[in-house]
């Protein structure tokens, strides 16, 4: 039997609901794009704390406790959420995992499972549309916008969190996250201040609400400031950067270029003078038997990355410099033609089989006009390479910018041609230019030629 299709009934594809984040924001629907729950938690609650601070005096003991608890909860994020669970850069015993899950929850930044899942996506899809807090969408977006504006979860890159789903501490914290937030975020700091020195409201406002605000903003700086401010000593293809200011703000997470290159290293800072209290905390926990299997990339691999980036920067600078016309692009001159042009007034000089036009340089020659004129139209290789004066590296480089040809059968040129053919002598940079190191110019003769006769 055949059934009639109701033309008025929408098709399945037409009934599929489009996520609000995939629609254009207008004056009429802007409020639908806002994640109002996060607005209240991230902006509304801190504002209420600032207002209450006008009536609640700040006691010294409460201020000290707020700073201490700031570090506790901050390390819960950096040492716990980030380096332990998101990157598995070390292993922790059950007591340490429980403690980190508890104080990490007190930072009020989401559950471990949610936080680590997004962070793994951030590393896997850095600076792309699948990066949940890509700085390419703007500094403010990467800092705050991605949380206060709704995102389509299907647009975030997929990651594997099966290990987190098998961790009972992570599972428990995820299921009881709101209880953890209320207890560790507000009740504990208030109890310590209240039972300790009778400052209940001070503990609630300063060690609770405002401390949460500062911890959150510090963590958000890893997503924004650490992708905008500083240097890129290991790789500049993506946005992560290293800067001491970001490190000071984020408890050592500011060496972000290193971190994105070597994410499973339990350290962010590898130099003794760099500020990384998270690294020191993890190392101390190891000494106490609470942490183990601290992962480090081999220093050889780290230095390779540093050298490669330095070479890349050098190549970029090299590409902007005048190294003279490459030898394989110079015209070939017969010796008699070279001599005739020199006799007819052109200031040509041959060194190592390469012909240079020094007409405009004769008057500026540091050794005087007579000396350079004595080599015109002759083979001045011996004179240039130590017979009369052992010219500097700078002189060889300057000479290379005056190339106009090569002598057919010139000894040094023939050696160079064979080396090019065998591809065994010269290295080229990323832009294809031949790398000429100091003392390796084609006009440079390693051993001074015994005679200085230019004739």
């Amino acid at each position: 039997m055949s059934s009639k299709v109701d033309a008025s009934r929408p098709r399945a594809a037409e009934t599929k609901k489009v996520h609000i984040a995939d629609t254009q924001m207008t004056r009429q629907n802007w409020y639908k794009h806002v994640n109002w729950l996060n607005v209240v938690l991230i902006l509304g609650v801190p504002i209420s704390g600032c207002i209450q601070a006008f009536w609640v005096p700040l006691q010294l003991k409460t201020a000290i406790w707020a700073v201490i608890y700031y570090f506790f909860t901050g390390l819960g994020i950096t040492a716990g959420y980030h380096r332990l669970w998101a990157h598995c850069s070390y292993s922790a015993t059950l007591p340490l995992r429980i403690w980190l899950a508890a104080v990490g929850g007190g930072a009020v930044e989401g559950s471990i499972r949610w936080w680590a899942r997004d962070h793994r996506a951030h590393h896997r899809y850095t600076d792309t549309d699948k990066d949940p807090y890509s700085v390419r969408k703007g500094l403010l977006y990467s800092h705050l916008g991605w949380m206060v504006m709704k995102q389509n979860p299907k647009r975030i890159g997929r990651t594997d969190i099966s290990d987190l789903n098998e961790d009972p501490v992570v599972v428990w914290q995820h299921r009881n996250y709101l209880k953890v937030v209320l207890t560790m975020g507000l009740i504990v700091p208030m109890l310590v201040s209240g039972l300790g020195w009778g400052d209940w409201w001070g503990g609630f406002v300063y060690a609770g609400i405002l401390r949460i605000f500062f911890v959150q903003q510090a963590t958000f700086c890893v997503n924004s400031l650490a992708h905008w401010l500083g240097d890129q000593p290991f790789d500049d293809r993506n946005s992560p950067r290293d800067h001491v200011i970001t490190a000071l703000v984020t408890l050592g997470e500011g060496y972000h270029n290193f971190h994105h290159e070597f994410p499973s290293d339990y350290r962010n800072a590898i130099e003794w003078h760099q500020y990384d209290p998270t690294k020191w905390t993890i190392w101390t926990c190891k000494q106490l038997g609470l942490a183990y299997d601290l992962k480090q990339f081999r220093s050889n691999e780290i230095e390779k990355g540093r050298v490669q980036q330095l070479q890349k920067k050098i190549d970029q600078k090299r590409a902007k410099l005048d190294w003279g016309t490459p030898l394989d692009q110079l015209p070939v001159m017969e010796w008699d033609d070279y001599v005739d042009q020199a006799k007819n007034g052109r200031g040509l000089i041959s060194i190592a089989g390469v012909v240079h036009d020094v007409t405009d340089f004769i008057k500026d020659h540091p050794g005087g006009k007579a000396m350079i004129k004595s080599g015109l139209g002759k083979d001045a290789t011996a004179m240039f390479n130590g017979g009369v004066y052992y010219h500097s590296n700078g002189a060889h480089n300057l000479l290379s910018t005056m190339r106009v040809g090569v002598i057919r059968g010139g000894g040094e040129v023939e050696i160079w041609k064979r080396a090019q053919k065998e591809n065994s002598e010269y290295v080229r940079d990323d832009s294809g230019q031949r790398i000429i190191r100091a003392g390796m110019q084609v006009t440079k003769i390693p051993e001074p030629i015994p005679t200085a006769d230019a004739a």
Side-chain angles (χ1 to χ4, degrees):
M1 296 178 64
S2 61
S3 59
K4 295 182 179 180
V5 178
D6 186 357
S8 64
R9 186 177 181 181
R11 298 177 183 178
E14 295 174 349
T15 60
K16 187 176 181 180
K17 188 175 181 181
V18 178
H19 195 278
I20 186 65
D22 296 330
T23 64
Q24 186 176 4
M25 185 185 299
T26 64
R27 291 182 180 179
Q28 288 73 34
N29 71 355
W30 67 269
Y31 62 92
K32 295 181 181 179
H33 286 261
V34 178
N35 187 326
W36 291 106
L37 175 61
N38 283 350
V39 169
V40 172
L41 294 175
I42 298 173
L43 299 176
V45 174
I47 291 175
S48 71
C50 291
I51 295 174
Q52 292 180 67
F54 282 100
W55 292 278
V56 180
L58 175 60
Q59 297 184 25
L60 178 60
K61 292 180 180 179
T62 303
I64 295 173
W65 163 236
V67 172
I68 292 173
Y69 202 53
Y70 168 88
F71 275 89
F72 281 167
T73 52
L75 289 170
I77 297 297
T78 59
Y81 279 41
H82 188 207
R83 303 193 196 185
L84 175 61
W85 282 296
H87 293 297
C88 305
S89 64
Y90 69 101
S91 299
T93 59
L94 182 60
L96 180 57
R97 297 207 325 272
I98 293 174
W99 168 251
L100 291 172
V103 293
V108 193
E109 296 182 15
S111 69
I112 297 167
R113 185 179 182 276
W114 175 85
W115 197 102
R117 180 250 181 270
D118 271 12
H119 192 72
R120 289 181 182 182
H122 166 66
H123 271 261
R124 186 177 183 183
Y125 304 101
T126 304
D127 297 339
T128 69
D129 289 338
K130 294 184 178 182
D131 181 349
Y133 29 86
S134 172
V135 76
R136 302 295 186 201
K137 297 179 182 179
L139 187 66
L140 184 60
Y141 178 88
S142 63
H143 186 81
L144 202 63
W146 69 281
M147 286 176 292
V148 299
M149 303 302 292
K150 291 179 180 178
Q151 286 195 76
N152 187 347
K154 294 182 179 180
R155 300 291 182 188
I156 301 175
R158 297 181 62 183
T159 57
D160 178 18
I161 57 171
S162 56
D163 59 317
L164 301 178
N165 293 332
E166 295 171 358
D167 189 327
V169 174
V170 174
V171 173
W172 185 90
Q173 194 231 37
H174 185 72
R175 290 176 178 172
N176 300 274
Y177 179 66
L178 290 179
K179 296 177 183 177
V180 174
V181 166
L182 290 173
T183 303
M184 301 302 297
L186 297 172
I187 296 175
V188 167
M190 183 173 64
L191 283 175
V192 171
S193 297
L195 297 175
W197 48 90
D199 189 13
W200 295 90
W201 275 111
F204 179 78
V205 173
Y206 295 105
I209 294 176
L210 295 182
R211 186 265 319 159
I212 290 174
F213 172 73
F214 285 114
V215 169
Q216 288 178 343
Q217 294 304 312
T219 304
F220 300 163
C221 284
V222 180
N223 303 332
S224 56
L225 204 61
H227 286 261
W228 177 72
L229 176 67
D231 301 320
Q232 297 176 299
F234 297 97
D235 194 1
D236 62 359
R237 291 175 298 171
N238 293 319
S239 60
R241 297 171 181 272
D242 288 0
H243 202 285
V244 64
I245 291 179
T246 317
L248 291 172
V249 172
T250 61
L251 300 184
E253 303 282 5
Y255 303 101
H256 213 51
N257 192 253
F258 172 86
H259 173 63
H260 268 256
E261 282 296 293
F262 312 102
S264 62
D265 198 308
Y266 86 97
R267 308 163 299 172
N268 259 210
I270 57 175
E271 305 296 341
W272 68 268
H273 56 83
Q274 293 176 324
Y275 179 75
D276 188 0
T278 303
K279 172 187 69 176
W280 304 330
T281 299
I282 296 171
W283 182 87
T284 301
C285 287
K286 179 187 177 183
Q287 309 311 309
L288 297 174
L290 297 171
Y292 57 96
D293 191 23
L294 276 58
K295 295 182 176 65
Q296 293 186 40
F297 265 81
R298 291 191 303 164
S299 59
N300 182 72
E301 308 312 309
I302 294 173
E303 288 307 308
K304 275 199 281 188
R306 199 195 305 270
V307 168
Q308 286 170 332
Q309 181 63 13
L310 286 172
Q311 187 63 59
K312 183 176 182 179
K313 292 180 178 178
I314 290 172
D315 290 346
Q316 291 170 349
K317 288 185 177 180
R318 179 186 291 111
K320 299 176 182 178
L321 301 176
D322 178 12
W323 296 89
T325 305
L327 295 184
D328 54 2
Q329 297 178 21
L330 292 172
V332 177
M333 301 177 64
E334 301 294 339
W335 177 261
D336 292 340
D337 183 35
Y338 157 67
V339 174
D340 288 341
Q341 289 192 41
K343 288 181 178 180
N344 290 326
R346 192 178 181 189
L348 299 183
I349 192 168
S350 174
I351 300 174
V354 182
V355 180
H356 307 83
D357 189 340
V358 297
T359 305
D360 297 331
F361 182 68
I362 292 176
K363 64 181 184 302
D364 299 321
H365 184 231
K369 299 179 182 179
M371 188 61 66
I372 194 170
K373 283 183 176 180
S374 67
L376 298 181
K378 302 175 183 177
D379 183 356
T381 305
M383 180 173 65
F384 190 78
N385 280 284
V388 174
Y389 176 73
Y390 199 61
H391 284 82
S392 67
N393 184 66
H396 283 273
N397 285 335
L398 178 62
L399 189 66
S400 69
T401 64
M402 305 177 190
R403 297 171 180 164
V404 293
V406 292
I407 300 296
R408 186 182 301 280
E412 294 300 321
V413 174
E414 290 301 318
I415 293 174
W416 174 84
K417 286 164 62 178
R418 288 198 300 271
Q420 282 291 96
K421 185 176 180 180
E422 296 171 2
N423 196 25
S424 60
E425 285 289 325
Y426 298 103
V427 180
R428 294 184 181 274
D429 62 22
D430 292 341
S431 62
Q433 290 190 329
R434 188 159 60 91
I435 297 176
I436 303 170
R437 308 195 190 284
M440 293 179 62
Q441 296 89 340
V442 69
T443 52
K444 181 80 171 179
I445 305 299
E447 295 295 331
I449 297 177
T451 177
D453 188 2

